Structures are given as C-alpha cells and as structure tokens.
Amino acid sequence: MRSIIVLAITTFKGGVRDRLLQGLILVGLLLIASTAVFSSFSMRQPVEVAINYGLSVIHILSIIMTLFFGLNLISRELDSKENHFVLTQPIPRSSYILGKYGGFFLNILAIITILGLFCIIGLLLMTAGAKGSIPFPWVKFLAALLGILISCAILGAVILLFTSVATSSIFPFLMSCAIYAIGENTQTVRRYIASGMVGKDFPPVFRLLTDIIYYLFPNFALFDFKAYAIYGLPLSGKLLLVSIAYGTMYAAVCLFFAVILFERRDIS
Amino acid sequence: MKRVGLCILLIFFVALTTYYYPKIQRTYEPSLRLHRLPPTLALSVSSFGNKQLMSTLIFYNTEFYFGEKVGFRKETPELKLIYDALNKATDLDPYNMDCYYFAQGTLSWIKPAIPVLNRLLIKGFKYRPWDWYLPFFIGANYYFQLKDPINAAKYTKAAARLNPRSPLLATLAARMLYQGNQTQAGIIYLKSLIRETANPLFLKKFEKRLNALEVIFSLEKGIERYEKKFGKSPQLIGDLIGGHIIKKVPPDPYGGIFYIGKDGRVHTTSKLAEGWRKNDSHSDIIVKKGVPKRSSEKEGGVP
C-alpha cells in the first residue's frame, strides 16, 4: 500500500511539472476568462450560457488532458525505458499500475478543481451583475464537475488497460479516442433507434450490435450533469449515486484487467 | 536604415489595404447564406457530450447571420433556414430559451410561419414549464396572427399564472376571453416586450409598432367620443377634426394613411407592414384629405 501511495505522489508531482499540462491549464484559464464575452451574445440567458460555456470548456480540456496524461503514464515510459528503474525495485507490478493510476487521478482532480474554481469566480462576477436570472446552482455545478471527473477516471483506466498490453503509445491513444467517442454517443444512438425514427427497414443485426456496444462500452452520457447545473433542473440523488457506482465499478474492472495483463507482460 | 524604410513601406501598404478592402469586399462578396445543418443525430454525435454548447453555437451563428443580413446588409433573411437552425438547436438543448426568444422575434411577424413557430414554442413550454414567456408568446401568436382568442386566452392565462406579479398578463388574458379591444391588447403586449428586450433591432421594431398602435388607439377613442357627441359614427377621419375631437391626424410610422373602414374601425393603408411604399400595393387608392375614397382593406389595426 505504501509503495502505491509513494508512486501516486511521485506521478502527481511529475504531472504538475509537465509543461503540456501547464499549457493546457493556461488555455483553460484564458477560455474561462472569455466567459463574459461569450455569454454577452445571449439574449435571454447570459448566466446559463456562462455556466454552459465554463462547464463545456472544463469538460473538453479535462478529456484532452486525460488522453495525453494517461499516455504519458506508462506507455511513453515503456517506450523510453524510463520505468525500468522502478520495475526492477521490489515493488509488485500491481502496485506500479495502481500507483500510476492514483497519481493520474490526483492530477485530473487538481486540474478540474483549479478550472472549476476559476469558472466559479467568473460566474460569481457575472451573477452579481445579472438581473432576473436563476440563482447559482452550487450543488448541481459540483455534481457536473464530479460527472466530468468520473468520465476522466474511466477514460484513464481504459488508457491504462490498453497501455498495459500495447507495445507503442499510438495504439492506446487511438483505442482510447475511439472508446471515448463510442461511449459518449452510444446512448444517443440507441435512443434514436428505439424512437422508431430509423424505420422498419433498419437491420435487426445493427439493433443488436448497438445494444451490445451500449452495454460493453462505458456510457459517458450518464455522467453528463451539465444540463442540471445550467438550468437548475432537479437532480435526483439516486441518479447521482448510481452514476458514481457505475463509474467506479467500470474503472475498477478496467484497472483489474490492466493489472492482470501488465503482470503477464514481458517488459525486457 | 534600409530596413526601417522597408518596414514603414510595408506598414503603409497594410494600412492602405486595410482601408480599402471593406469597400471592395462589400461590392464583390456573395450574398450571405445560412447553410442547412446536418440532422440532429449527427449534430449530437459530433458534440461529444457538449450538446448545450453546440446548441448555443448554432444559436449564435443564426443570431449573427440575422444581424449581418438585416442590420448590416439590409437584405431579407432566409427565415425557413433560421427556423431549421433554431429547431435543431432546441432538439439538442430543449431548454435553450435564447432560441425560442429569437424565433418569436423573427418569425412571429409572418402569418404562414405561426403554426411551425407555435410548435417550436410548445416544445419549449414542455421543457420549461416554469417560464411564462413561452405561453405568453404562443398566446400572442394565436391572438394576433391566427385570430384564435380561445387558444390565445388558454396560453395567456397559463402565462399569467406563472407570472402573477404582472397584472398586464391577466388583463391581456381577460381581454382575449371577451375578444375586446385588440388594439389595447396589442399595446399591452408590446409594452411587455419592450420592457424585457435588450436587442436594439427588436426594440426598434417593437417601438415602431407600439407607436402605430397608440395612434390607432387614440383615433378609436376619438371615434367613440364622436359617437357620444353627435350620436352617429364618423365616415371619415377628417370628421374627427371637423367635430373638434382631434386637432390633426397623427402620422402612421409605417408611412401609410389612416382611414375609417366599413367595420367602423381605424385602418391604415400601410397595413402596419415594414417596407410599404405609397406607390407599391396601394397605387389604386385615391387619397384626398388623408382619406382613401376606395379601399380593398379587410384587415388592419392589429399588431
């Protein structure tokens, strides 16, 4: 357990020093600073547009950072043989994987917290000057940030899973991008097919395939609480709990297989 | 020294082209078009979980298109494509109030667009049951354009229930129920819109229409006073001046001429339509002392 914590902290510190992450945070801060300009074109709901813009920026940047940072975790270290020093130490490979994931999670948590804080400051400045708009939905805003964090946590675990078997960093990157794209849209496509808009000619095989994909791949749409935060819609605590449970379990399963596959991998 | 000279020369040429290109651009650039968007499913998939942001971006694109087309180029916008964009934007984010507000501002002036516009607004009302604007807009469209006071009253009452602080809505709903004075109802409606709107294009449009309605309302009141004073209805607007009810006939902001129709109500040759010209559709009307001798007017006096 101690080795996991030490590795997590080391990975976290390495992530903080990463220039790519620093640059992305800077871009994120600039984008959030532009919230007021973006929302000023709204006719009836500048505050809602500001929340929408801030959360979307955090979401997009967090996913980009997850992809790049997740790849840096093991894949590039394996490419450059940087991690051979750690792996030759008396540390179980499972601890190595879990420690790396812990560091990654802390980094993403820090990034979302920083961007979220800047977003809140920008929104508070806006809501102070707005008239007749909705009160700031604090709990739902935090729920939306939590949803983004869970999405990133799952995506990070998926990256680790592919990294643990891949011999180059390109394969896990492409696979993770594909899985994210599928996971983000599988619910929309399945609901579209279920709505009957596809017509009777739609092949049943595709319908079955959509169902398989829906259950097999992570459903990232489940963690999208942005609409609740933007419009102050009532958010069910049960939905939130189920989402957290589903996300945690999915990430745990990915990590479990990542550990098994990495333990059997021939590093030399 | 050579470099400094070259630098000044380059800056001079940049300034020169910057000064001239807007004029040349305006002369030669093609007509501004709003492109038809892909299906909603494709938009949803390509938004990667940011449907609300995609909806806002579609709305902004439509808003900027309308602004440049109407405000800058003074051209007629493609309203069917505006509706298509707003419909798809609200499919992505059915809570996006900007889209409904913009649709009402741009499409409610065209009678054939009212059924689809109301369908869009009813979709919004389904998702935003707390928002009084949507039933208010639907009711206004039914009342002023579709001449359906029963449906109008239904939605205006819903708006009044959602916004109990505004006595105007309740008044308007009551007036609709009794099918009372449409001009006064129009004035109340426009005053509410003017109070809430921040868009200068809409504000100008609303204020112009309000001005016209207030003039019509004052003339209708003048007719009532004439009837009380002389026991008969005036035949011409000029009778109000002759009967010392009014001193002069106020001008129609749309450039038309007021007259009393066969129904005894005040009408105008402009039909309160934007872009009306004296020599266009009413060239056959012979005007004498502000009163047309022959008129095919069947409607008017309503916003």
Side-chain angles (χ1 to χ4, degrees), chain A residues 32 35 47-59 112-124 127 134-149 223-233 235 240:
Chain A
I32 285 165
T35 302
V47 176
E48 287 88 338
V49 169
I51 299 173
N52 176 3
Y53 181 70
L55 283 174
S56 298
V57 166
I58 295 173
H59 182 212
I112 291 174
T113 309
I114 293 166
L115 291 176
L117 277 173
F118 273 91
C119 187
I120 286 170
I121 292 165
L123 289 170
L124 282 177
T127 45
I134 52 165
F136 191 73
W138 285 103
V139 178
K140 287 152 197 169
F141 185 84
L142 293 176
L145 290 181
L146 181 67
I148 295 169
L149 180 68
F223 314 113
D224 185 6
F225 302 120
K226 289 196 286 291
Y228 298 95
I230 296 164
Y231 299 107
L233 304 174
L235 174 61
L240 195 64

Side-chain angles (χ1 to χ4, degrees), chain B residues 143-262:
Chain B
Y143 189 62
F144 297 118
Q145 291 284 23
L146 301 180
K147 315 286 184 219
D148 181 353
I150 296 166
N151 271 318
K154 179 183 149 192
Y155 284 103
T156 311
K157 275 198 292 180
R161 197 171 55 245
L162 291 167
N163 186 13
R165 284 182 300 172
S166 171
L168 291 172
L169 285 170
T171 314
L172 190 59
R175 287 203 174 276
M176 285 170 174
L177 279 171
Y178 288 105
Q179 295 193 32
N181 191 334
Q182 287 195 11
T183 315
Q184 195 179 5
I187 289 169
I188 294 167
Y189 168 59
L190 288 166
K191 278 185 175 171
S192 319
L193 287 178
I194 287 166
R195 205 171 41 248
E196 299 293 338
T197 195
N199 185 308
L201 266 179
F202 285 2
L203 202 61
K204 211 173 157 186
K205 198 178 262 240
F206 294 158
E207 281 173 346
K208 191 175 182 181
R209 182 60 57 95
L210 177 67
N211 185 7
L213 286 197
E214 282 176 338
V215 170
I216 290 170
F217 187 62
S218 72
L219 290 174
E220 283 177 351
K221 286 285 169 197
I223 291 171
E224 282 175 22
R225 287 206 302 278
Y226 185 93
E227 285 168 345
K228 275 185 189 172
K229 191 173 176 183
F230 297 105
K232 60 174 185 176
S233 300
Q235 296 299 307
L236 309 166
I237 288 283
D239 291 347
L240 298 177
I241 302 170
H244 300 290
I245 303 292
I246 54 171
K247 285 180 183 171
K248 61 171 187 173
V249 181
D252 175 4
Y254 293 89
I257 297 154
F258 291 113
Y259 65 95
I260 299 170
K262 284 177 185 171

Side-chain angles (χ1 to χ4, degrees), chain B residues 249-293:
Chain B
V249 181
D252 175 4
Y254 293 89
I257 297 154
F258 291 113
Y259 65 95
I260 299 170
K262 284 177 185 171
D263 56 359
R265 293 190 68 222
V266 177
H267 296 277
T268 168
T269 52
S270 72
K271 292 184 179 180
L272 302 182
E274 292 280 1
W276 178 83
R277 296 286 178 276
K278 277 179 188 171
N279 296 329
D280 285 355
S281 57
H282 296 276
S283 56
D284 58 327
I285 298 172
I286 302 160
V287 179
K288 189 182 176 184
K289 287 183 184 176
V291 184
K293 280 187 176 174

Side-chain angles (χ1 to χ4, degrees), chain A:
Chain A
M1 189 65 194
R2 195 174 170 276
S3 56
I4 294 174
I5 294 167
V6 170
L7 258 169
I9 291 167
T10 314
T11 311
F12 174 67
K13 283 179 181 171
V16 171
R17 282 194 294 269
D18 196 314
R19 285 190 181 175
L20 176 72
L21 295 186
Q22 288 166 7
L24 277 169
I25 286 179
L26 190 69
V27 170
L29 296 180
L30 285 173
L31 283 169
I32 285 165
S34 63
T35 302
V37 179
F38 186 80
S39 61
S40 66
F41 297 112
S42 170
M43 288 181 162
R44 291 291 314 159
Q45 44 178 24
V47 176
E48 287 88 338
V49 169
I51 299 173
N52 176 3
Y53 181 70
L55 283 174
S56 298
V57 166
I58 295 173
H59 182 212
I60 294 165
L61 285 178
S62 303
I63 294 297
I64 293 171
M65 288 184 194
T66 301
L67 285 169
F68 283 98
F69 189 62
L71 286 172
N72 271 339
L73 278 180
I74 300 175
S75 199
R76 285 192 190 166
E77 284 191 8
L78 281 173
D79 281 352
S80 59
K81 297 185 169 57
E82 278 175 28
N83 56 359
H84 282 203
F85 174 73
V86 181
L87 290 170
T88 49
Q89 301 297 315
I91 300 170
R93 286 193 181 182
S94 59
S95 300
Y96 177 77
I97 288 281
L98 294 175
K100 283 281 178 188
Y101 184 77
F104 153 82
F105 186 81
L106 287 175
N107 267 302
I108 293 298
L109 179 67
I111 288 161
I112 291 174
T113 309
I114 293 166
L115 291 176
L117 277 173
F118 273 91
C119 187
I120 286 170
I121 292 165
L123 289 170
L124 282 177
L125 290 172
M126 271 209 67
T127 45
K131 64 164 190 177
S133 201
I134 52 165
F136 191 73
W138 285 103
V139 178
K140 287 152 197 169
F141 185 84
L142 293 176
L145 290 181
L146 181 67
I148 295 169
L149 180 68
I150 297 170
S151 294
C152 294
I154 294 178
L155 190 61
V158 169
I159 294 170
L160 264 185
L161 176 64
F162 286 109
T163 308
S164 58
V165 287
T167 49
S168 77
S169 56
I170 300 295
F171 173 70
F173 176 74
L174 292 177
M175 285 306 289
S176 308
C177 287
I179 284 179
Y180 177 71
I182 293 166
E184 196 64 75
N185 295 304
T186 174
Q187 181 176 290
T188 309
V189 175
R190 189 167 177 262
R191 284 185 181 178
Y192 179 76
I193 293 167
S195 71
M197 287 178 78
V198 287
K200 288 175 183 173
D201 301 335
F202 192 74
V205 179
F206 288 172
R207 202 180 292 266
L208 181 71
L209 192 68
T210 314
D211 280 347
I212 291 169
I213 289 170
Y214 175 75
Y215 290 112
L216 189 66
F217 286 78
N219 179 12
F220 288 112
L222 185 66
F223 314 113
D224 185 6
F225 302 120
K226 289 196 286 291
Y228 298 95
I230 296 164
Y231 299 107
L233 304 174
L235 174 61
S236 156
K238 204 179 273 182
L239 173 70
L240 195 64
L241 281 175
V242 167
S243 307
I244 294 168
Y246 169 77
T248 314
M249 288 305 114
Y250 202 99
V253 167
C254 289
L255 283 178
F256 176 76
F257 283 110
V259 167
I260 288 177
L261 292 169
F262 195 67
E263 279 177 340
R264 295 180 181 189
R265 181 172 175 162
D266 181 15
I267 304 285
S268 58

Side-chain angles (χ1 to χ4, degrees), chain B residues 103-146:
Chain B
Q104 178 69 9
T106 50
L107 302 172
S108 65
W109 311 96
I110 304 131
K111 197 171 177 179
I114 299 300
V116 284
L117 171 63
N118 271 4
R119 216 178 307 148
L120 182 80
L121 296 172
I122 288 167
K123 174 170 73 174
F125 190 37
K126 186 181 153 196
Y127 285 93
R128 297 177 65 96
W130 65 87
D131 198 328
W132 68 272
Y133 273 98
L134 292 162
F136 174 59
F137 290 158
I138 300 165
N141 292 340
Y142 269 121
Y143 189 62
F144 297 118
Q145 291 284 23
L146 301 180

